[in-house]
Amino acid sequence: MSDVTFPTDRQRPFDPPDEATELRERADMHRMTFADGHRGWLVTGYSAARAVLAHPHFSNRPELAHPPIQGSLLRARLQKDAKTPPGFFLRMDEPEHARFRRLLTGQFTVRRMKMLEPRVEEIANACLDDMAAVGGPVDLVEKFALPIPSLVICELLGVPYEDRAQFQEDTKLLVNLETKAEDAMAALGRITAFMYGLVQRKRKEPADDLISGLIESGELDDEELAGVSLLLLVAGHETTANMLGLGTYALLTNPAQLAAMRDDPSVVENGVEELLRYLTIIHLGPMRTALDDVEIEGNLIEAGECVALHLPTVNRDPSRFPDGDRLDVGRPAGGHLTFGHGIHQCLGQQLARIEMRIGYPALLRRFPGLRLAVTPEEVPMRSDMSIYGVHRLPVTW
């Protein structure tokens, strides 16, 4: 059987590519040819994906990886001489990864995140007030989905919200698969310089925020602090913003599920987990590279071979999620791999959950007549971005 390539062409906006689903029905793992000709593996099954993410003999370092698809940004990120920026712990292995993770774990506990709930509610209600004042139609991404997580992460880190234009545009360039390599690197340079300058200001004028707290610990230099802050800033607003936008779109096309999220507080927690599973906005990876020969599900992955996970398909594996192609906000929560698994599991997942548990019902209750202001075919999808979602979501009420 010939090697496969990474499936990307979706037939429907909320479903994985049919090709990926068909591959999963054949097997959990497949020999795959990467965009640079490397011969590695594609994982489409749940148990195999979980095993790869948990295994200590897989690396997340970019210089060992290979691009799964053609795309100048991914090639630039994953080129062989790539260097992980200081503090960018997501792309580090142990023990370097653990050093940064240890410093940050205490900042993102469930208890500490719950303390943010009143402020998240204030921010969400302010966005809804602004929508009501403007009147429909509005772009929900611009007025609701993007401002909530952006303002929350800015306040948490200590980034002035009025400076958001400086990082939001550069973030778009970083996650756009069609961005030229030199433009992506320039954007990364600008946003890194912005964070470095902010760290230096915080050294002189500390405040009650996460960056100042990390400075006070005395364990990180300014370059590391800027890298950590950059990672948290980008991850903290880009992912949740896309979940709020895409999740609302999915609910608008599923009236019964929308009504449950709006009217029944007891299903909201499950509903958020179900939307995370069903939509799986991380649609190009994650990837890992074997440091030694590893056997997964009876397949020998040789040292140096790269493994690409197709998470949208993994999260619908019927062996773990029966009837997984159906959105059901009452489905028992948990088990999905949207936030990853193992040592690199998303650090800010509790904050993302709080923003969604507050955001979805607040929006749907304030505007019970919420509906699309365009046809579904006119909603522009983020197939060209490394994080899936909607570019815009025109709505009215």
Side-chain angles (χ1 to χ4, degrees), residues 76-287:
R77 279 180 179 162
L78 302 174
Q79 60 190 342
K80 285 302 176 184
D81 61 350
K83 296 292 186 294
T84 302
F88 216 76
F89 63 94
L90 178 65
R91 304 311 302 273
M92 295 177 183
D93 294 341
E94 304 300 14
E96 294 84 4
H97 171 266
R99 172 179 170 240
F100 291 93
R101 188 93 181 191
R102 173 178 54 81
L103 287 172
L104 290 163
T105 297
Q107 304 290 333
F108 288 92
T109 62
V110 174
R111 182 184 65 83
R112 183 164 289 199
M113 292 301 99
K114 283 192 70 67
M115 291 171 60
L116 292 174
E117 285 184 3
R119 181 59 182 142
V120 175
E121 289 175 353
E122 286 180 7
I123 291 170
N125 286 328
C127 290
L128 295 171
D129 290 344
D130 182 50
M131 284 175 58
V134 171
V138 300
D139 173 14
L140 194 77
V141 172
E142 177 189 356
K143 292 294 185 182
F144 185 79
L146 185 58
I148 292 175
S150 295
L151 185 49
V152 171
I153 197 63
C154 280
E155 290 190 0
L156 187 64
L157 290 173
V159 176
Y161 186 60
E162 57 269 21
D163 292 341
R164 65 192 180 279
Q166 295 185 47
F167 65 81
Q168 285 180 348
E169 285 305 311
D170 284 331
T171 296
K172 286 181 184 177
L173 288 172
L174 287 173
V175 299
N176 190 327
L177 299 172
E178 298 177 0
T179 301
K180 294 179 179 178
E182 57 270 25
D183 293 337
M185 294 303 104
L188 180 61
R190 286 191 298 270
I191 196 169
T192 301
F194 168 75
M195 296 308 299
Y196 187 81
L198 180 62
V199 166
Q200 292 184 312
R201 293 201 301 274
K202 295 287 182 184
R203 279 204 184 276
K204 296 175 182 176
E205 300 176 9
D208 183 19
D209 54 54
L210 194 149
I211 294 177
S212 298
L214 289 174
I215 291 172
E216 188 178 355
S217 75
E219 295 196 40
L220 303 177
D221 62 31
D222 283 3
E223 284 191 341
E224 291 172 329
L225 286 162
V228 167
S229 303
L230 167 62
L231 177 59
L232 296 176
L233 179 66
V234 173
H237 81 273
E238 184 71 24
T239 50
T240 308
N242 282 294
M243 270 305 305
L244 286 170
L246 186 63
T248 300
Y249 181 22
L251 291 171
L252 289 173
T253 62
N254 287 268
Q257 305 301 306
L258 183 152
M261 287 289 283
R262 182 189 63 215
D263 301 333
D264 187 353
S266 70
V267 309
V268 171
E269 185 171 328
N270 271 348
V272 165
E273 299 303 315
E274 173 68 348
L275 287 165
L276 284 163
R277 179 202 70 81
Y278 181 75
L279 298 172
T280 311
I281 59 172
I282 307 301
H283 67 145
L284 294 175
M287 292 181 296

Side-chain angles (χ1 to χ4, degrees), residues 52 54-59 93 288-294 303-305:
V52 169
H55 203 290
H57 292 166
F58 283 101
S59 173
D93 294 341
R288 298 290 187 267
T289 304
L291 297 173
D292 300 296
D293 290 358
V294 178
E305 289 185 339

Side-chain angles (χ1 to χ4, degrees), residues 57-77:
H57 292 166
F58 283 101
S59 173
N60 201 30
R61 298 193 339 249
E63 68 269 22
L64 300 178
H66 297 266
I69 65 170
Q70 293 294 338
S72 58
L73 173 56
L74 283 176
R75 287 200 302 274
R77 279 180 179 162

